[in-house]
Structure formats: C-alpha cells, structure tokens
Amino acid sequence: MNFTAAHIGFVLASYGISFACILGLAAYVIARDRKLRAEAQRLDAARRREQT
C-alpha cells in the first residue's frame, strides 16, 4: 500500500469504519444470542414446572 497517496486518509477511514461496524455487529449477535438462550432456559424451566 502506498502511504504517500493523496487518498490514503479515505482508505484508512474506510477500513476503520468497516472494522468498527463488524465489531458492532458481532457484539450485537453475541448479546442477542445470550439473551435468547437465557429466555429459552427460563421457558424450558417454566414448562418443566407446569408438567410436575
């Protein structure tokens, strides 16, 4: 990569924004997965209590 090019700031900013978006999406997916797993466990436990 030529760091003396006139458009290097745009390229680095694009990489930075892309990296931040990917990290944000990954964090969102992980948080949502944890929330849904906890909710599924609560529903499963409630269903087991109703059966007994």
Side-chain angles (χ1 to χ4, degrees):
M1 181 179 279
N2 184 3
F3 288 103
T4 60
H7 62 282
I8 192 67
F10 175 77
V11 172
L12 293 177
S14 297
Y15 276 114
I17 291 170
S18 297
F19 184 70
C21 288
I22 291 171
L23 281 180
L25 286 171
Y28 170 75
V29 168
I30 291 169
R32 186 166 186 245
D33 179 61
R34 288 180 180 172
K35 178 185 170 190
L36 290 175
R37 283 178 190 256
E39 184 178 346
Q41 286 177 349
R42 282 193 305 270
L43 289 172
D44 194 33
R47 193 174 303 138
R48 281 193 213 125
R49 274 184 263 137
E50 289 177 1
Q51 290 177 353
T52 58

